[in-house]
Amino acid sequence: MDDVRTEAAQGRWRWLPWGLLAVAVAVASGGAWLGSRSLQALEARSAQLEHEATESEAHVAQLQTLRQAMERRLRTLERQQQHAEWGSAAAQLQARSAEEQHTRREAALATLGAALKDALAAGDVSLDLEDDALRMEVSERLLFAPASTALSPEGVQLLKQSAGVLQGALADHRVAVEAHTDEVLPPAPGAPASTAWELSAARAVAVVRHLGEREHVAPERLSATGHAAYRPRVPGDSPPHRAQNRRVTLRLSPTPVTPESVAVARTEPPPRPVKRTAKAKAKKVARR
């Protein structure tokens, strides 16, 4: 009996290592499975985080684009507001000065008329007051010899007489010099101008250079244009008519309003009420 029990006990002990090995294998397999599931979970979580990070970066980029668009729109609105304010201020300044400039052009017209009365009487000069400019036309025979681009002594004297107005009452006006010829150029051996275009342009430049260099008119106020025979005053169907078309025009017009002038006008004190003062003086004189 004891031998049987001993053999049975020994049999059980022989299977114990295999059981333990099986348990160990099972535990290891379970651990590996759990580790695999944990690794997969971590990889899935990592992929999810990367996806969320990508979406966040895209969202941030969209927000930055939206912010930049809003900043550009804001700058555009600010510029539009500035332009509107400047336009309103410029219109007010121009309207305020238009009447005063017109009055000064009328005075300049009278001054030029007195200084150039002989040339006016001879028909070599004409003066006209336009809506926004003073126009003076001078015949060719007073300024230049036929087909010549050199100013004559009479032309130099006329420009000198006119410079007083250009530098005085109308010192804030532009001076546009326009030279005109006719379609027939007289022969002039050795003359530098060979076509009507060259002749008219060279004459306009000659007048501008004289005004700038000799009469000290600011160059930014001057401009020179040659129109050749394409802006005639009268049809060029006779020698007297062609002579009328050969002329030089000086157009004196106000300088355009600029942001700088508007800024200066805003800082200047308002003008004194001249008319009221004059009326008050008149009342005092009447009382006396």
Side-chain angles (χ1 to χ4, degrees), residues 221-248:
R221 295 175 54 198
L222 299 170
S223 63
T225 308
H227 293 297
Y230 297 100
R231 296 192 183 183
R233 177 193 287 178
V234 294
D237 52 6
S238 65
H241 283 178
R242 289 196 293 271
Q244 292 183 41
N245 291 331
R246 296 192 297 269
R247 68 200 189 279
V248 173

mmCIF file of all heavy atoms in Angstrom, residues 221-248:
data_model
loop_
_atom_site.group_PDB
_atom_site.id
_atom_site.type_symbol
_atom_site.label_atom_id
_atom_site.label_comp_id
_atom_site.label_asym_id
_atom_site.label_seq_id
_atom_site.Cartn_x
_atom_site.Cartn_y
_atom_site.Cartn_z
ATOM 1 N N ARG A 221 7.086 124.827 -61.797
ATOM 2 C CA ARG A 221 5.874 125.508 -62.268
ATOM 3 C C ARG A 221 5.791 125.544 -63.786
ATOM 4 O O ARG A 221 4.743 125.901 -64.328
ATOM 5 C CB ARG A 221 5.849 126.943 -61.738
ATOM 6 C CG ARG A 221 5.739 127.092 -60.235
ATOM 7 C CD ARG A 221 5.857 128.557 -59.831
ATOM 8 N NE ARG A 221 4.895 129.382 -60.535
ATOM 9 C CZ ARG A 221 4.996 130.710 -60.647
ATOM 10 N NH1 ARG A 221 6.031 131.349 -60.122
ATOM 11 N NH2 ARG A 221 4.076 131.393 -61.312
ATOM 12 N N LEU A 222 6.847 125.185 -64.479
ATOM 13 C CA LEU A 222 6.932 125.377 -65.925
ATOM 14 C C LEU A 222 6.723 124.070 -66.677
ATOM 15 O O LEU A 222 7.082 122.995 -66.206
ATOM 16 C CB LEU A 222 8.301 125.961 -66.290
ATOM 17 C CG LEU A 222 8.643 127.333 -65.680
ATOM 18 C CD1 LEU A 222 10.096 127.666 -65.927
ATOM 19 C CD2 LEU A 222 7.735 128.410 -66.258
ATOM 20 N N SER A 223 6.147 124.187 -67.860
ATOM 21 C CA SER A 223 6.035 123.054 -68.780
ATOM 22 C C SER A 223 6.063 123.594 -70.198
ATOM 23 O O SER A 223 5.638 124.713 -70.461
ATOM 24 C CB SER A 223 4.739 122.267 -68.538
ATOM 25 O OG SER A 223 3.606 123.081 -68.803
ATOM 26 N N ALA A 224 6.598 122.785 -71.115
ATOM 27 C CA ALA A 224 6.760 123.193 -72.515
ATOM 28 C C ALA A 224 6.126 122.143 -73.415
ATOM 29 O O ALA A 224 6.371 120.948 -73.246
ATOM 30 C CB ALA A 224 8.239 123.368 -72.858
ATOM 31 N N THR A 225 5.324 122.612 -74.380
ATOM 32 C CA THR A 225 4.640 121.715 -75.310
ATOM 33 C C THR A 225 4.670 122.337 -76.700
ATOM 34 O O THR A 225 4.408 123.536 -76.861
ATOM 35 C CB THR A 225 3.179 121.476 -74.893
ATOM 36 O OG1 THR A 225 3.138 121.057 -73.543
ATOM 37 C CG2 THR A 225 2.523 120.434 -75.790
ATOM 38 N N GLY A 226 4.978 121.520 -77.700
ATOM 39 C CA GLY A 226 4.915 121.959 -79.096
ATOM 40 C C GLY A 226 3.757 121.286 -79.804
ATOM 41 O O GLY A 226 3.633 120.062 -79.775
ATOM 42 N N HIS A 227 2.899 122.080 -80.414
ATOM 43 C CA HIS A 227 1.718 121.543 -81.097
ATOM 44 C C HIS A 227 1.843 121.587 -82.619
ATOM 45 O O HIS A 227 0.897 121.194 -83.304
ATOM 46 C CB HIS A 227 0.472 122.318 -80.672
ATOM 47 C CG HIS A 227 0.093 122.126 -79.239
ATOM 48 N ND1 HIS A 227 -0.278 120.899 -78.718
ATOM 49 C CD2 HIS A 227 0.053 123.002 -78.200
ATOM 50 C CE1 HIS A 227 -0.554 121.035 -77.434
ATOM 51 N NE2 HIS A 227 -0.356 122.300 -77.088
ATOM 52 N N ALA A 228 2.975 122.076 -83.128
ATOM 53 C CA ALA A 228 3.161 122.181 -84.585
ATOM 54 C C ALA A 228 1.985 122.960 -85.191
ATOM 55 O O ALA A 228 1.600 123.998 -84.668
ATOM 56 C CB ALA A 228 3.337 120.809 -85.198
ATOM 57 N N ALA A 229 1.412 122.438 -86.277
ATOM 58 C CA ALA A 229 0.312 123.145 -86.951
ATOM 59 C C ALA A 229 -1.043 122.513 -86.668
ATOM 60 O O ALA A 229 -2.017 122.815 -87.375
ATOM 61 C CB ALA A 229 0.569 123.154 -88.455
ATOM 62 N N TYR A 230 -1.144 121.669 -85.629
ATOM 63 C CA TYR A 230 -2.339 120.859 -85.456
ATOM 64 C C TYR A 230 -3.361 121.442 -84.484
ATOM 65 O O TYR A 230 -4.377 120.805 -84.210
ATOM 66 C CB TYR A 230 -1.929 119.449 -85.015
ATOM 67 C CG TYR A 230 -1.110 118.774 -86.087
ATOM 68 C CD1 TYR A 230 0.278 118.725 -85.986
ATOM 69 C CD2 TYR A 230 -1.707 118.249 -87.217
ATOM 70 C CE1 TYR A 230 1.041 118.131 -86.984
ATOM 71 C CE2 TYR A 230 -0.960 117.660 -88.218
ATOM 72 C CZ TYR A 230 0.414 117.605 -88.088
ATOM 73 O OH TYR A 230 1.165 117.030 -89.084
ATOM 74 N N ARG A 231 -3.113 122.658 -83.994
ATOM 75 C CA ARG A 231 -4.115 123.369 -83.193
ATOM 76 C C ARG A 231 -4.192 124.812 -83.678
ATOM 77 O O ARG A 231 -3.866 125.747 -82.946
ATOM 78 C CB ARG A 231 -3.778 123.299 -81.706
ATOM 79 C CG ARG A 231 -3.826 121.884 -81.146
ATOM 80 C CD ARG A 231 -3.790 121.860 -79.648
ATOM 81 N NE ARG A 231 -3.774 120.515 -79.128
ATOM 82 C CZ ARG A 231 -3.803 120.201 -77.829
ATOM 83 N NH1 ARG A 231 -3.834 121.168 -76.922
ATOM 84 N NH2 ARG A 231 -3.784 118.942 -77.435
ATOM 85 N N PRO A 232 -4.650 124.998 -84.908
ATOM 86 C CA PRO A 232 -4.677 126.360 -85.456
ATOM 87 C C PRO A 232 -5.770 127.193 -84.814
ATOM 88 O O PRO A 232 -6.813 126.687 -84.393
ATOM 89 C CB PRO A 232 -4.959 126.119 -86.942
ATOM 90 C CG PRO A 232 -5.718 124.841 -86.970
ATOM 91 C CD PRO A 232 -5.156 123.998 -85.864
ATOM 92 N N ARG A 233 -5.528 128.482 -84.770
ATOM 93 C CA ARG A 233 -6.559 129.405 -84.286
ATOM 94 C C ARG A 233 -7.601 129.647 -85.366
ATOM 95 O O ARG A 233 -8.804 129.721 -85.092
ATOM 96 C CB ARG A 233 -5.913 130.728 -83.854
ATOM 97 C CG ARG A 233 -6.930 131.766 -83.403
ATOM 98 C CD ARG A 233 -6.296 133.140 -83.296
ATOM 99 N NE ARG A 233 -5.422 133.241 -82.133
ATOM 100 C CZ ARG A 233 -4.731 134.335 -81.853
ATOM 101 N NH1 ARG A 233 -4.749 135.378 -82.675
ATOM 102 N NH2 ARG A 233 -3.963 134.375 -80.784
ATOM 103 N N VAL A 234 -7.137 129.805 -86.605
ATOM 104 C CA VAL A 234 -8.016 130.026 -87.760
ATOM 105 C C VAL A 234 -7.557 129.091 -88.873
ATOM 106 O O VAL A 234 -6.430 128.583 -88.852
ATOM 107 C CB VAL A 234 -7.958 131.499 -88.237
ATOM 108 C CG1 VAL A 234 -8.530 132.437 -87.174
ATOM 109 C CG2 VAL A 234 -6.521 131.898 -88.573
ATOM 110 N N PRO A 235 -8.404 128.817 -89.848
ATOM 111 C CA PRO A 235 -7.959 127.987 -90.975
ATOM 112 C C PRO A 235 -6.755 128.598 -91.679
ATOM 113 O O PRO A 235 -6.725 129.803 -91.952
ATOM 114 C CB PRO A 235 -9.189 127.945 -91.885
ATOM 115 C CG PRO A 235 -10.339 128.237 -90.980
ATOM 116 C CD PRO A 235 -9.824 129.187 -89.942
ATOM 117 N N GLY A 236 -5.756 127.780 -91.994
ATOM 118 C CA GLY A 236 -4.535 128.282 -92.643
ATOM 119 C C GLY A 236 -4.686 128.372 -94.141
ATOM 120 O O GLY A 236 -3.894 127.765 -94.878
ATOM 121 N N ASP A 237 -5.676 129.136 -94.590
ATOM 122 C CA ASP A 237 -5.960 129.229 -96.025
ATOM 123 C C ASP A 237 -5.419 130.487 -96.669
ATOM 124 O O ASP A 237 -5.676 130.758 -97.835
ATOM 125 C CB ASP A 237 -7.475 129.151 -96.263
ATOM 126 C CG ASP A 237 -8.244 130.159 -95.400
ATOM 127 O OD1 ASP A 237 -7.583 130.981 -94.725
ATOM 128 O OD2 ASP A 237 -9.480 130.099 -95.390
ATOM 129 N N SER A 238 -4.661 131.287 -95.922
ATOM 130 C CA SER A 238 -4.080 132.506 -96.483
ATOM 131 C C SER A 238 -2.866 132.890 -95.652
ATOM 132 O O SER A 238 -2.754 132.492 -94.486
ATOM 133 C CB SER A 238 -5.108 133.645 -96.488
ATOM 134 O OG SER A 238 -5.457 133.999 -95.162
ATOM 135 N N PRO A 239 -1.952 133.663 -96.194
ATOM 136 C CA PRO A 239 -0.781 134.102 -95.411
ATOM 137 C C PRO A 239 -1.148 134.825 -94.126
ATOM 138 O O PRO A 239 -0.520 134.570 -93.082
ATOM 139 C CB PRO A 239 -0.024 134.990 -96.396
ATOM 140 C CG PRO A 239 -0.393 134.463 -97.739
ATOM 141 C CD PRO A 239 -1.826 134.041 -97.614
ATOM 142 N N PRO A 240 -2.142 135.762 -94.129
ATOM 143 C CA PRO A 240 -2.488 136.405 -92.844
ATOM 144 C C PRO A 240 -2.994 135.404 -91.802
ATOM 145 O O PRO A 240 -2.679 135.520 -90.611
ATOM 146 C CB PRO A 240 -3.583 137.404 -93.240
ATOM 147 C CG PRO A 240 -3.340 137.682 -94.681
ATOM 148 C CD PRO A 240 -2.867 136.393 -95.247
ATOM 149 N N HIS A 241 -3.790 134.419 -92.249
ATOM 150 C CA HIS A 241 -4.281 133.420 -91.300
ATOM 151 C C HIS A 241 -3.153 132.544 -90.779
ATOM 152 O O HIS A 241 -3.115 132.204 -89.582
ATOM 153 C CB HIS A 241 -5.352 132.561 -91.972
ATOM 154 C CG HIS A 241 -6.680 133.246 -92.086
ATOM 155 N ND1 HIS A 241 -7.768 132.664 -92.698
ATOM 156 C CD2 HIS A 241 -7.083 134.490 -91.684
ATOM 157 C CE1 HIS A 241 -8.790 133.504 -92.653
ATOM 158 N NE2 HIS A 241 -8.390 134.620 -92.052
ATOM 159 N N ARG A 242 -2.237 132.162 -91.637
ATOM 160 C CA ARG A 242 -1.109 131.351 -91.172
ATOM 161 C C ARG A 242 -0.248 132.138 -90.192
ATOM 162 O O ARG A 242 0.298 131.582 -89.243
ATOM 163 C CB ARG A 242 -0.277 130.864 -92.359
ATOM 164 C CG ARG A 242 -0.986 129.789 -93.193
ATOM 165 C CD ARG A 242 -0.009 129.069 -94.105
ATOM 166 N NE ARG A 242 0.500 129.957 -95.141
ATOM 167 C CZ ARG A 242 -0.070 130.135 -96.330
ATOM 168 N NH1 ARG A 242 -1.192 129.477 -96.626
ATOM 169 N NH2 ARG A 242 0.458 130.936 -97.228
ATOM 170 N N ALA A 243 -0.143 133.436 -90.395
ATOM 171 C CA ALA A 243 0.614 134.264 -89.451
ATOM 172 C C ALA A 243 -0.068 134.288 -88.088
ATOM 173 O O ALA A 243 0.600 134.306 -87.044
ATOM 174 C CB ALA A 243 0.764 135.678 -90.008
ATOM 175 N N GLN A 244 -1.400 134.296 -88.064
ATOM 176 C CA GLN A 244 -2.108 134.255 -86.788
ATOM 177 C C GLN A 244 -1.889 132.930 -86.057
ATOM 178 O O GLN A 244 -1.856 132.889 -84.811
ATOM 179 C CB GLN A 244 -3.607 134.461 -87.013
ATOM 180 C CG GLN A 244 -3.996 135.856 -87.481
ATOM 181 C CD GLN A 244 -5.506 135.996 -87.602
ATOM 182 O OE1 GLN A 244 -6.261 135.517 -86.760
ATOM 183 N NE2 GLN A 244 -5.947 136.660 -88.670
ATOM 184 N N ASN A 245 -1.747 131.875 -86.810
ATOM 185 C CA ASN A 245 -1.554 130.560 -86.192
ATOM 186 C C ASN A 245 -0.160 130.376 -85.623
ATOM 187 O O ASN A 245 0.046 129.531 -84.743
ATOM 188 C CB ASN A 245 -1.841 129.456 -87.209
ATOM 189 C CG ASN A 245 -3.306 129.383 -87.580
ATOM 190 O OD1 ASN A 245 -4.175 129.731 -86.775
ATOM 191 N ND2 ASN A 245 -3.596 128.961 -88.800
ATOM 192 N N ARG A 246 0.802 131.148 -86.096
ATOM 193 C CA ARG A 246 2.169 131.043 -85.558
ATOM 194 C C ARG A 246 2.244 131.901 -84.300
ATOM 195 O O ARG A 246 2.371 133.132 -84.363
ATOM 196 C CB ARG A 246 3.190 131.510 -86.609
ATOM 197 C CG ARG A 246 3.226 130.655 -87.858
ATOM 198 C CD ARG A 246 4.440 130.972 -88.718
ATOM 199 N NE ARG A 246 4.427 132.338 -89.218
ATOM 200 C CZ ARG A 246 3.890 132.723 -90.373
ATOM 201 N NH1 ARG A 246 3.295 131.831 -91.163
ATOM 202 N NH2 ARG A 246 3.946 133.981 -90.758
ATOM 203 N N ARG A 247 2.190 131.249 -83.160
ATOM 204 C CA ARG A 247 2.058 131.964 -81.886
ATOM 205 C C ARG A 247 2.592 131.106 -80.747
ATOM 206 O O ARG A 247 2.833 129.905 -80.925
ATOM 207 C CB ARG A 247 0.588 132.325 -81.633
ATOM 208 C CG ARG A 247 -0.284 131.097 -81.361
ATOM 209 C CD ARG A 247 -1.747 131.367 -81.578
ATOM 210 N NE ARG A 247 -2.585 130.244 -81.118
ATOM 211 C CZ ARG A 247 -2.807 129.148 -81.822
ATOM 212 N NH1 ARG A 247 -2.267 128.984 -83.017
ATOM 213 N NH2 ARG A 247 -3.582 128.193 -81.322
ATOM 214 N N VAL A 248 2.719 131.738 -79.591
ATOM 215 C CA VAL A 248 3.094 131.049 -78.348
ATOM 216 C C VAL A 248 2.063 131.424 -77.295
ATOM 217 O O VAL A 248 1.755 132.601 -77.103
ATOM 218 C CB VAL A 248 4.503 131.432 -77.880
ATOM 219 C CG1 VAL A 248 4.791 130.830 -76.499
ATOM 220 C CG2 VAL A 248 5.547 130.954 -78.875
#
